[in-house]
Amino acid sequence: MARTREAAAAAAPVAQQGASRLPRPFDPEAASQLLARFAERGAAEQAFAGGAEGAALLAAMGGHSTYLADLAVRESQTLLRMAERGPDAAFALAVDPLGRADPDASRAQVAALLRQAKRQAALIAAAADLAGLWPLDRVTGALSDLADACTDYACAHLLREAQSRGELKLAGGVARHDPRATGRGSGLTVLGMGKLGGRELNYSSDIDLMVLYDPVAATYDADRAGAIYVRLARDLVRLLEERTEGGYVFRTDLRLRPDPAATPLAVSLPAAISYYESMGQNWERAAMIKARPVAGDRALGDAFLREIRPFVWRRHLDFAAVADIHSIKRQIHAHKGARGAHARVQVEGHDVKLGRGGIREIEFSTQVLQLIWGGRDPALRDPTTLGALAALVAAGRIDRRTAADMADAYVFLRNVEHRLQMVADRQTHRLPEDAEGLSRIASFLGFDSAEAFGQALTGHLTRVERAYAGLFEAAPDLGTNGGDAGGSLVFTGVEDDPETIETLRRMGFQNPQAVGAMVRGWHHGRTRATRSERARELLTEIMPALLGAFAKLPQPDQALMRLDAAFNRMQAGVQALSLLHRNPALLDRLAFVLGAAPALADHVARSAAALDALLSGTLAADTDAVAPLPALVKEARYLEEALDATRRVVTERRFEIDAAALEGRVDVDAAGTARSDLADAAIAALLPRIATEFAQRHGKVKGGALGVVALGKLGARDMLPASDLDLILVYDHPEEVLESTGGAKSLPPSQYFGRLANQVVAALTAPGLEGKLFEVDMRLRPSGSKGPVAVSLSGFARYQAESAWTWERMALTRARFVAGAPGLKRKIEAALKAARTRPADAAQVLADAGAMRARMLRDLPAEGPWDVKLMPGGLVEAEFVAQALQVAHAHRVPAVLSPTTRVALRNLAAAGLLTAAEAATLTEADRFWRAILAHLRLTVGRWNEEALPDAVAGGLLAAVGKRLPEPPVDQFALRTQMRATADEVRAVFLRRIGLPDGN
């Protein structure tokens, strides 16, 4: 009976200090059930439950929380001890076993002891909180002390296990002692981060830990240190998190370590220091404000924090750094586009942590001011929110009234948070949406009604919102660009934000999780382009606009992956990101090229220079860009280096031309000329260098030279994307010269120039890092593919005079000398003129051209509705008219000759061989068909289906529509225009050339 009397008296501290503050039970029936269950535990418990004060405490627990009710019954002795000795002494007794390490304890015994300490300490903290015996900072401090003790005790056991396996040599040996002694010299330090680090742990909080190790402090083999400490970290998480019949200790999160997606669970100290010095982000600086050693070798942890202090606390911050600090919160939640429970101050369903006016805004405001001013004033580096607010007031960095409003709200909201979590031991921050749930929480907090609670809550939230707005909301918005997909865009931290994933899905990304991980990787500096702090600051500002631009594409994920590849290849991204930051319109341009044209996009992904050129606006269609090519080739140390330089210039220049054409900044004529000039320059620069290299082995043919003649699209200076080079290689030498001289091996001229020609073709077509320069087609040379690669000038002239077919003569109308010695150029151009003005039977020429076209229609029909080259009335027929009429009439009217189709058509009209209307029809059709072909080659390549993808069709309409009398509104209207144009071309073709009977 003596113990019963003691128990009855034990409630006195509760009665004297806090019983009157205990909330009345929301659920009286549940409260009565707890009283009965508790009394059944024993006489002492019966006496406690029978007293007014003890009954009030039990009723407050049972009437609001099934979790606390079960905990009170299971740990009834703890509650009695608290009633007898007070919460501080009871708490100390609960965690006391964790201060005495037992080297003989098994893993299961350690786990059981940890869970017992957690249950008892959690019950004491809840009871002291409800009874008003502990203020908020004592509650959160006690919970943090518990987490420290549990983590340290678990680490000590795991370190001893590692020693027993022969993995570590511990300075303290295995004798019974304080767990902290085991940690000293172990090479292991565990930092508490977040609320644990600030000793502000909430009632059902995860604990954020960072596991670091010194690879040489305690290991026998430093090379094995990583595996040893990673295993220890994994076991630590398992020991604390695993649920058993005794419950769990703490949910544990290791994702605040440096670059968690790319680093193991335990990170070496040198690697961590290197990361923070080179790639640490501003949100990580904010996280490090609260970091402190909680387990293992605390001195080692303190030394690490001193080492990275310059990263956390900067004496000077430029504007960009301040803007990026501000962006932490805006990325945590982009308010102006936000939806759901975060969007406004409310009661039902409001998130008291992340919502408007919530805990995170108070913490963020405090931390940002600390980061801005704490580098110059160490007094502002307090890790606790309330302590930091007080320090900021004292330093004059925040208004006293604002700080008081934030401090009052912080205490209120943290108490709300605790009550929410006490209901069922769930880590939640969101208020119930139903009336009963809200009434329960209001009652748990001691309010008479949900309305009274709601009024108090909204008052605090509104004041925080107002204070936050005054401090930070003038900063640029980081939400999406005001469109229908507005919402959160959260890429700080280490995990997906559900609302961000939903925002990305609404924007049209097919795999939002992958996109989120990719963007976080950029923010973590995992790509070359974003490894600098300045680059990441710029990325933060442009990210919503960037995602918005890519979201407009038909396949945004794929286009964004191409940008990721480009970022990975850039040596530095500040220049490109600065351009995008200064001119957001460039984002649409970048997205368009990466999304619309796979070949161009792949080049951007391979070439950082291409991305720079695209963004800097240097893409143009002039020829100055290839001016340095001869010098580059001449200065190269050897031929392969010259080829590499040429490939690089050609690839970059080709990209510039194609991108400018795709965007409509140059028309199809100018783009064709620019592509042709590029090929001319490459051939002209390489030919003498190849000849010089060849001469080192085989000498020279005295007085001889090799020249290059272009036909086809290159000859016409109308090259399209991916056009082949149709070439004829022609050589000449004095008849009396019978072999080369001056080399290691002499060759007769025909063999000499044949081999040299092969070298030229090989150089133009050999693959390198940038791919091939060009594809080369030699089938238009005399005798076609059966003839020699190089033909003598005399042989060429003889063949054209005696043996050339009509189709070869038609092809020769587009011949143009592009490379070779000036003297040889004069001779070849004279030969070309003679061949093109050779008398011809006009009727026979036109009949041959009609028969050839008939064979093409039979053997090479159009491959679909978009094959505008081979379709009846297509590009081939427009070109045939120009070529056949030149062959038929040039001997009488040489002025009609021109290698360029549109010029030849104009000449033919001037000579009366075409009417002005016919020439205009064919000229516009030639340009129309080339524009369509160019756009399709850049976007989809060959396309055999009836309808184009919408994005391709839209670009095509923009590219060709402005040249049409009535710009089509969609691709079906464009097809109507195409059929009308084809009919007009076919009519001119039949009228001027015709087809054999039966065709």
Side-chain angles (χ1 to χ4, degrees):
M1 294 297 295
R3 186 173 175 200
T4 301
R5 286 193 298 271
E6 291 174 1
V14 175
Q16 294 167 7
Q17 300 178 52
S20 61
R21 298 182 55 182
L22 286 164
R24 292 191 296 272
F26 175 75
D27 185 344
E29 183 177 349
S32 297
Q33 290 176 358
L34 174 57
L35 286 166
R37 291 169 60 202
F38 192 86
E40 291 172 357
R41 298 286 294 178
E45 286 85 352
Q46 184 176 11
F48 182 86
E53 294 80 10
L57 179 59
L58 292 172
M61 290 182 172
H64 295 96
S65 166
T66 54
Y67 166 71
L68 291 181
D70 292 339
L71 195 57
V73 172
R74 181 167 186 171
E75 296 294 338
S76 60
Q77 291 297 310
T78 298
L79 204 56
L80 295 177
R81 189 178 304 119
M82 176 187 146
E84 178 183 357
R85 303 188 182 187
D88 292 284
F91 183 85
L93 288 171
V95 299
D96 179 68
L98 301 179
R100 300 189 302 274
D102 181 359
D104 299 321
S106 66
R107 179 78 66 92
Q109 289 172 322
V110 168
L113 182 59
L114 287 168
R115 281 151 182 77
Q116 173 186 292
K118 167 63 183 298
R119 292 193 305 272
Q120 294 178 359
L123 179 61
I124 295 165
D129 189 357
L130 289 173
L133 302 176
W134 279 354
L136 175 66
D137 59 348
R138 180 67 182 104
V139 175
T140 58
L143 293 169
S144 302
D145 290 342
L146 170 66
D148 289 4
C150 289
T151 306
D152 207 21
Y153 186 80
C155 284
H157 173 75
L158 295 172
L159 286 167
R160 260 190 282 273
E161 281 189 341
Q163 178 173 259
S164 68
R165 290 192 298 266
E167 296 174 341
L168 298 176
K169 50 181 185 295
L170 300 179
V174 296
R176 188 184 304 270
H177 62 285
D178 182 346
R180 292 198 177 194
T182 304
R184 287 194 287 271
S186 66
L188 172 75
T189 187
V190 181
L191 302 184
M193 308 291 291
K195 285 186 167 57
L196 172 59
R199 303 190 79 253
E200 297 173 329
L201 214 58
N202 57 49
Y203 194 75
S204 292
S205 180
D206 291 353
I207 56 172
D208 293 302
L209 302 177
M210 184 185 297
V211 180
L212 303 170
Y213 66 90
D214 181 345
V216 299
T219 56
Y220 294 97
D221 181 357
D223 292 336
R224 295 184 58 220
I228 293 169
Y229 288 106
V230 166
R231 175 180 177 178
L232 196 150
R234 187 178 295 112
D235 288 346
L236 174 63
V237 171
R238 185 179 299 116
L239 191 53
L240 295 177
E241 280 194 344
E242 192 173 40
R243 288 185 179 272
T244 69
E245 63 179 8
Y248 72 102
V249 189
F250 286 99
R251 292 176 296 270
T252 306
D253 193 337
L254 302 183
R255 289 173 296 178
L256 288 182
R257 67 186 184 274
D259 199 3
T263 55
L265 296 180
V267 181
S268 74
L269 287 165
I273 292 169
S274 175
Y275 171 83
Y276 288 120
E277 288 179 345
S278 61
M279 291 190 291
Q281 301 178 65
N282 276 313
W283 71 265
E284 291 174 303
R285 294 178 58 216
M288 277 296 173
I289 291 176
K290 295 181 180 297
R292 65 182 176 87
V294 299
D297 191 334
R298 285 170 168 76
L300 188 65
D302 285 331
F304 166 75
L305 293 176
R306 285 195 298 273
E307 186 75 18
I308 66 166
R309 188 177 294 162
F311 161 71
V312 182
W313 302 110
R314 299 184 185 177
R315 291 190 60 79
H316 303 286
L317 293 175
D318 60 19
F319 176 80
V322 174
D324 190 55
I325 292 170
H326 289 182
S327 78
I328 299 169
K329 171 62 181 176
R330 300 200 307 279
Q331 283 202 41
I332 288 171
H333 202 85
H335 283 306
K336 295 178 177 62
R339 299 182 177 185
H342 301 294
R344 62 187 183 278
V345 168
Q346 61 184 38
V347 179
E348 294 85 354
H350 194 70
D351 191 316
V352 297
K353 178 181 179 181
L354 298 178
R356 195 77 167 183
I359 296 167
R360 183 61 62 85
E361 285 191 354
I362 301 169
E363 294 173 333
F364 168 77
S365 301
T366 306
Q367 290 168 358
V368 165
L369 292 173
Q370 287 180 283
L371 288 178
I372 293 173
W373 303 109
R376 283 162 282 183
D377 186 352
L380 301 180
R381 300 175 187 178
D382 193 307
T384 68
T385 301
L386 295 177
L389 282 171
L392 288 165
V393 169
R397 300 303 180 184
I398 188 172
D399 176 75
R400 186 177 300 276
R401 181 66 263 168
T402 299
D405 286 343
M406 285 190 164
D408 291 344
Y410 182 78
V411 173
F412 181 87
L413 295 173
R414 289 301 305 272
N415 281 324
V416 174
E417 179 184 52
H418 283 181
R419 298 305 182 272
L420 288 169
Q421 295 173 354
M422 285 178 185
V423 170
D425 190 28
R426 289 179 52 241
Q427 190 193 17
T428 181
H429 313 279
R430 192 181 294 273
L431 287 164
E433 297 183 11
D434 60 294
E436 181 180 355
L438 277 174
S439 295
R440 178 185 296 272
I441 295 302
S443 173
F444 211 180
L445 285 158
F447 285 91
D448 293 332
S449 67
E451 290 74 17
F453 164 66
Q455 185 176 359
L457 173 69
T458 54
H460 285 296
L461 295 175
T462 301
R463 284 188 287 274
V464 171
E465 181 185 31
R466 188 182 305 120
Y468 178 83
L471 288 170
F472 304 118
E473 294 233 339
D477 181 33
L478 289 184
T480 53
N481 288 338
D484 293 337
S488 296
L489 287 176
V490 180
F491 300 109
T492 56
V494 296
E495 62 182 349
D496 287 336
D497 169 66
E499 293 192 22
T500 295
I501 298 301
E502 180 57 31
T503 299
L504 293 172
R505 183 176 289 108
R506 281 198 307 273
M507 293 174 76
F509 290 97
Q510 298 164 352
N511 189 343
Q513 289 83 2
V515 171
M518 184 190 305
V519 175
R520 279 202 307 277
W522 298 346
H523 282 289
H524 276 94
R526 294 194 198 110
T527 64
R528 288 186 180 184
T530 61
R531 284 181 182 168
S532 74
E533 181 180 7
R534 177 57 179 155
R536 292 194 297 275
E537 290 167 354
L538 291 166
L539 183 69
T540 294
E541 294 295 328
I542 68 171
M543 183 51 59
L546 185 150
L547 290 172
F550 278 79
K552 301 172 187 175
L553 304 176
Q555 294 181 310
D557 300 63
Q558 188 174 10
L560 207 62
M561 288 176 64
R562 293 181 181 126
L563 179 61
D564 181 60
F567 278 170
N568 269 310
R569 286 173 170 82
M570 297 178 73
Q571 292 300 317
V574 170
Q575 178 180 353
L577 292 169
S578 295
L579 286 168
L580 293 171
H581 184 259
R582 291 196 301 269
N583 188 354
L586 290 176
L587 285 166
D588 288 326
R589 183 180 181 191
L590 174 64
F592 173 71
V593 171
L594 292 182
L600 300 186
D602 290 342
H603 178 62
V604 171
R606 291 192 304 268
S607 170
L611 181 61
D612 286 341
L614 179 67
L615 297 180
S616 62
T618 60
L619 309 187
D622 58 78
T623 57
D624 292 343
V626 295
L629 192 53
L632 288 173
V633 171
K634 185 177 181 180
E635 293 171 2
R637 294 167 295 175
Y638 42 85
L639 180 58
E640 191 56 44
E641 188 176 274
L643 290 175
D644 285 341
T646 306
R647 291 188 195 103
R648 184 176 63 254
V649 171
V650 168
T651 301
E652 292 175 0
R653 179 69 182 136
R654 182 188 291 134
F655 168 80
E656 293 173 0
I657 297 166
D658 288 347
L662 184 68
E663 295 177 302
R665 292 183 293 111
V666 294
D667 65 19
V668 65
D669 293 343
T673 301
R675 294 188 190 98
S676 303
D677 290 345
L678 176 62
D680 287 359
I683 297 169
L686 285 174
L687 180 61
R689 180 61 189 262
I690 296 169
T692 300
E693 296 274 336
F694 189 79
Q696 292 176 1
R697 299 189 299 276
H698 299 291
K700 295 183 178 181
V701 174
K702 187 175 181 181
L706 179 73
V708 181
V709 175
L711 300 94
K713 286 286 187 288
L714 174 59
R717 301 188 77 218
D718 272 339
M719 283 184 71
L720 296 169
S723 286
D724 294 345
L725 303 186
D726 293 301
L727 302 179
I728 300 176
L729 280 80
V730 181
Y731 67 89
D732 186 41
H733 65 91
E735 292 183 5
E736 65 273 15
V737 178
L738 302 179
E739 64 178 9
S740 62
T741 57
K745 183 179 179 181
S746 297
L747 295 172
S750 61
Q751 191 174 359
Y752 181 95
F753 287 111
R755 290 190 182 182
L756 176 58
N758 279 326
Q759 293 284 311
V760 173
V761 173
L764 294 175
T765 59
L769 292 176
E770 301 285 347
K772 294 181 180 181
L773 278 171
F774 302 99
E775 294 287 352
V776 173
D777 190 340
M778 305 285 291
R779 290 175 296 178
L780 293 180
R781 68 186 187 271
S783 301
S785 58
K786 296 180 180 179
V789 175
V791 60
S792 69
L793 178 59
S794 59
F796 174 79
R798 185 167 55 253
Y799 180 87
Q800 296 297 333
E802 301 174 358
S803 306
W805 296 74
T806 298
W807 70 266
E808 291 177 300
R809 297 190 64 184
M810 289 171 62
L812 206 66
T813 62
R814 299 202 288 187
R816 186 170 58 85
F817 183 91
V818 296
L824 181 60
K825 176 181 180 181
R826 289 191 294 271
K827 292 180 181 180
I828 289 177
E829 287 183 339
L832 289 173
K833 181 178 180 181
R836 286 190 290 226
T837 56
R838 181 166 64 88
D841 182 336
Q844 186 61 50
V845 168
L846 299 180
D848 289 346
M852 181 166 57
R853 178 58 181 146
R855 286 194 299 274
M856 291 180 67
L857 289 169
R858 182 182 68 247
D859 300 335
L860 293 172
E863 295 185 357
W866 299 96
D867 188 351
V868 299
K869 178 179 179 180
L870 296 177
M871 62 186 274
L875 181 63
V876 164
E877 292 190 1
E879 292 174 339
F880 263 42
V881 171
Q883 294 167 16
L885 290 179
Q886 287 182 85
V887 173
H889 302 288
H891 65 285
R892 293 187 303 103
V893 191
V896 300
L897 290 171
S898 174
T900 303
T901 300
R902 59 186 176 277
V903 178
L905 290 170
R906 184 172 66 241
N907 295 343
L908 288 165
L913 297 170
L914 285 174
T915 67
E918 288 174 328
T921 293
L922 295 178
T923 299
E924 287 305 312
D926 168 69
R927 188 173 285 116
F928 185 39
W929 297 144
R930 284 187 291 112
I932 292 174
L933 277 173
H935 192 85
L936 294 181
R937 286 188 183 183
L938 288 173
T939 54
V940 294
R942 293 184 178 180
W943 190 260
N944 300 331
E945 299 179 21
E946 288 292 325
L948 291 168
D950 289 342
V952 175
L956 181 58
L957 291 171
V960 304
K962 57 190 175 185
R963 300 199 60 89
L964 298 173
E966 296 182 9
V969 296
D970 56 34
Q971 60 176 303
F972 304 106
L974 176 62
R975 287 283 303 282
T976 300
Q977 295 263 27
M978 291 166 59
R979 285 190 289 270
T981 300
D983 290 343
E984 292 173 351
V985 172
R986 170 49 68 103
V988 176
F989 179 87
L990 293 175
R991 189 161 53 246
R992 293 298 179 176
I993 295 180
L995 290 169
D997 292 341
N999 289 273

